[in-house]
Amino acid sequence: MKSGKNKLLLICSIVIVSVAIAEGALRLVEEYAYTSSYHPSGDVVDLRSLNYNDSSVPKAKPKDELRILSFGDSFCHATVNESASYNGVIQKRLQAAGRTVRVVNFGEPISSVPQYLAAMKNWLPQVEHDAVMVNIFAANDLGEILREEVRDDDRLNNTMGGHFLDSHTGRKRMWHPPHLFPLRLLDFAHAAYFYYSQGPSIASCVPQPYTLALGPMDPETFARVSERNLEICRGAARESLRPALERVAELARYLSGLQAGGTRVLIVLSPAEVQINPRLFADTAKRLHADPALFDLDMPNRLVAQTIRTVDPSLEIVDLTPPIQAAMTGGRNPYYPLDAHWDAEGNRIVGEFLSSWIAAHW
């Protein structure tokens, strides 16, 4: 009897040790695959394989090419395909004007100022370039830092890079199973089961030119997002924004160093819909039981611009509020319904505005 228990105990011990070894090995391989994918060997960076909203780009650029590396959050990544994104519109417009231009989209959804800096430090040494463009979604970025919703130690391209699905095709990315169980072994087994039982892709009902990055919310969730963005516009919040603005200053110091080294730099400021949509502003203030007079809708963008100019007044800043506001005033809301992002028309408006600026200044 005792011998039988000892055998059972031995078998259990072997199983536990084997699972632990396999789990550890899998995690090491997964970490190596992640690290190496963001430091690719060879002459070309395959951005699509990393779930960026772009195709591929040679590390070395042609001599006659103006190459702009574009950074930011989901506004930069865009919920439309690469051609319809504002980065794609900039590239097409400048090419149509006879210039050889490549705009490389390194936008990372659910990221903020610290991640923009980390992304630039990773990609700028690897991909040859002439210029850097950074899109700061002021109210959202300051709020995310203030609420500690983004961490400095987040992985590069944390959201899309690790996503189970290719945002364009819906194809399952088997090296990126979702974290559902305590063991990654179980995550991979679960993903494999659904891969073979339900096929390698999911059917997408997202209309063109949108991608699976499009994420309309239910009305209550969208209202909460608008409330958070509006709270950053509350005049009394100015003092509490100092720590977040110091992160902006850190980014500005890095960009100032790039510019001093010969890289062209453009900083783009994007407004939240609640800052330019009068009806949404009124409804959101009412939900917060707040007097609309308590809010300064330009304050987040203005404070970000002031912070950057204090670091280096020569850094170029373009606030996108005027063209977005003009579209809204003209009766065309450039934001997708119940989604914080610009729709295809909004991306076109922004892309054309920025391409005109680049054509005039670069």
Side-chain angles (χ1 to χ4, degrees), residues 138-153:
N140 180 72
D141 284 350
L142 296 178
E144 287 180 332
I145 296 171
L146 186 67
R147 296 186 297 268
E148 298 183 340
E149 293 175 357
V150 292
R151 305 182 309 174
D152 286 5
D153 60 352

Side-chain angles (χ1 to χ4, degrees), residues 180-296:
L180 301 175
F181 303 99
L183 296 178
R184 288 299 278 160
L185 284 170
L186 295 178
D187 290 332
F188 275 87
H190 180 266
Y193 171 76
F194 281 101
Y195 182 92
Y196 289 108
S197 64
Q198 299 179 3
S201 302
I202 66 163
S204 172
C205 58
V206 179
Q208 288 293 330
Y210 297 92
T211 71
L212 292 175
L214 178 66
M217 309 167 191
D218 61 80
E220 192 64 27
T221 301
F222 180 73
R224 286 197 298 271
V225 169
S226 299
E227 288 170 13
R228 288 199 296 266
N229 287 331
L230 185 57
E231 286 288 5
I232 302 302
C233 301
R234 192 185 287 268
R238 180 176 184 135
E239 189 62 28
S240 67
L241 294 176
R242 287 187 179 275
L245 290 170
E246 177 49 40
R247 305 313 301 272
V248 174
E250 181 184 355
L251 175 65
R253 287 189 286 271
Y254 179 79
L255 293 172
S256 179
L258 289 180
Q259 184 168 267
T263 299
R264 297 169 182 170
V265 174
L266 175 61
I267 301 167
V268 178
L269 305 182
S270 296
E273 183 179 355
V274 74
Q275 292 176 269
I276 58 106
N277 185 337
R279 178 174 294 180
L280 181 60
F281 166 57
D283 290 345
T284 305
K286 184 176 181 180
R287 284 177 62 96
L288 292 172
H289 306 288
D291 182 349
L294 296 174
F295 300 97
D296 180 352

